[in-house]
Every structure is written in C-alpha cells, then in structure tokens.
Amino acid sequence: MFWRESDPWGAWEPFRDYERLQAAMNQILSETRRTAPVTREYPLINIWSGEEHATICAEIPGVDPKDIDISIAADTVTIRGVRTETPRKETEKYLRRERGTGEFARTIQLPFQVAAEKVDASFRRGILYLSVPRAEADKPRKIIVKTATH
Amino acid sequence: MSKEIQRTETKSPAVESARARQTFHPATDIVETPESLFVYADMPGVDEKSLDVTVDRNVLTIFGGVAEEAPKQQSLTYAEYNVGDYERVFTLPDEIGRERIEATLKDGVLRLMLPKSGPAKTRKIAVRAS
C-alpha cells in the first residue's frame, strides 16, 4: 500500500489517522472479497476445439453413464445428471465427507451450430467426453470468383 | 477414532514430486462401520495401471497418475480444471488389519475396504517396588 508521507511542516491533520485506518479496512475487505468462495459450477469442463469439431470434457466421477443426460439445441449443449449417495445403514457413519452429491446441470454455449445427430459421447474413468461436430450448414462456404470472359 | 484419521501434511517441500506436474488431493469420503473402514476417493482420469495404494506401517498412501487424452487436431481452448496426478496420505488407526485391504476402481472413484482386526493389545507393565 502506498502511504502519503506526513507533512514535513508538521501541519495538524486530525483526520489523517482515521483516513489511514479506513484505507487499511478497505484493503482488508477487498482482499476478503477476492478470496471468498464462489458458487462452484459442477461439473467442471474443459473444451478442446479444432476447425470443425469441439470436444467437451467433464469430470464426473462415480456417476453411472446411463444416468447422464445430454441434450443439444442449436449451439448449446446441456449435461444433466445425479450423483447419488450410497445408502448408509445406521451402523455406518461418516468420518470424513468431501464428495458432493445431488443433481447437477451445466449448459455450454458453443460458438457454432452443432450437428446434433453426429454428437458422440463416451465415458471413461469418470470423465465424460463429448465430441460435437459443427453443423454442415454452419460451416464457412468458400465462394469462387468467376472471371468473366467477354 | 475420527481424530486418528488425519491428513498428513503434503505441502511441505520434503515430499514434493520430482516431476513438474500438479498433484491434487482427491475429494475423499471415509465411512466407518463396526467391521471396517471404507475410503472413497474421486480420481477422474485414473485407471488401474496408474493407481498405487501403499500401506507402510500405519500410513496409507493413495497415488493415481493421470495421462491426459488430447483429442486429435484440437487444442485446449477453455479450461476449468487442470489435469494432474492425485495423491493423498492418511494415518490409519492401529486396529486396521493391513493385510486384508481391498481396492476397487470404478468410473474414476477409488473404493478401499480396510477391515478392522480389533484394537492392538496394550501391555500393562507392573512396577515392582524395590
């Protein structure tokens, strides 16, 4: 933090200490906000993209692939599912619980129209791989300029 | 007993990996039943070959190496998660039978069954008055 040097002439400034305190408080508050936990999206995704394809990868460990529902509309892909909790008997108790459970949904908008019929989904080692090709109608068209021959 | 299962510090430089790669703590559930302890750890991307579960004295170490699958002719354009290995160390209570630990891996979740073998017998030493 950058502090103003105190007045070399010793002018009386009764509010200087107060201002200094306020500046320090503001800094503490702004730092708290920066590190405060944000609402976590689930699942987390990575997107790989090429010229006519994109691959959406999502880490969803412990979910039965049959319970993952994928829907496509124009340029958006929605992944839905449930992470179910293993039923526990009364004699079983949690000593540590960090894995989340419950329903999740994630909608991803892509920068192109998706050929919905060609989307391929696979689930390996707890990771969902969604291969989404670009729709034929959405691909850039090359226009050849004809030279007029008179 | 819950206090006996503690995550040992893995952030100290003494246990840093030789590879310049990120290592994550897998999210873990531990469930206790009268007969055993169950450990569930989320390790997406880990397969049986790259998984390493070791028990040394009363220290349980879970390690899972992840080989990233890069789609052909595509580049990573948006990333919310990083790819790296998983490692986590737990101190086990003495009553766990170390020989009969079972490990299964399904859909990126490691399940460990740690049977209890009864508490270790403490020997009482009688002090004789001289």
Side-chain angles (χ1 to χ4, degrees), chain A residues 44-49 53 55 57 61-62 83 91-99 106 124-126, chain B residues 5 27-33 40 42 44-45 47 69 71 74-81 88 107 109:
Chain A
L44 292 181
I45 55 160
N46 276 3
I47 301 175
W48 293 74
S49 58
H53 260 83
T55 307
C57 308
R83 258 181 79 126
T91 51
E92 300 176 340
K93 61 173 185 196
Y94 277 105
L95 299 182
R96 189 184 275 273
R97 196 171 182 184
E98 298 166 357
R99 299 164 67 234
R106 195 77 206 268
R124 291 189 300 275
R125 302 171 205 150
Chain B
I5 296 167
T28 306
D29 282 356
I30 298 176
V31 177
E32 186 185 8
T33 70
Y40 300 89
D42 280 346
D47 64 9
E69 288 185 35
Q74 292 184 24
S75 57
L76 187 64
T77 44
Y78 175 75
E80 287 178 350
Y81 66 86
R88 205 153 169 185
D107 294 335
V109 179

Side-chain angles (χ1 to χ4, degrees), chain A residues 24-98:
Chain A
M25 283 298 283
N26 285 344
Q27 200 202 359
I28 291 164
L29 288 173
S30 65
E31 276 174 7
T32 316
R33 214 172 302 135
R34 215 183 315 132
T35 54
V38 286
T39 323
R40 235 185 102 175
E41 299 261 26
Y42 192 89
L44 292 181
I45 55 160
N46 276 3
I47 301 175
W48 293 74
S49 58
E51 274 177 28
E52 290 175 356
H53 260 83
T55 307
I56 301 167
C57 308
E59 288 189 327
I60 326 174
V63 172
D64 191 329
K66 283 180 282 208
D67 296 338
I68 302 171
D69 180 53
I70 298 148
S71 55
I72 290 136
D75 61 347
T76 58
V77 177
T78 304
I79 303 164
R80 268 173 210 287
V82 188
R83 258 181 79 126
T84 44
E85 193 188 338
T86 324
R88 304 259 175 260
K89 289 178 218 137
E90 274 182 28
T91 51
E92 300 176 340
K93 61 173 185 196
Y94 277 105
L95 299 182
R96 189 184 275 273
R97 196 171 182 184
E98 298 166 357

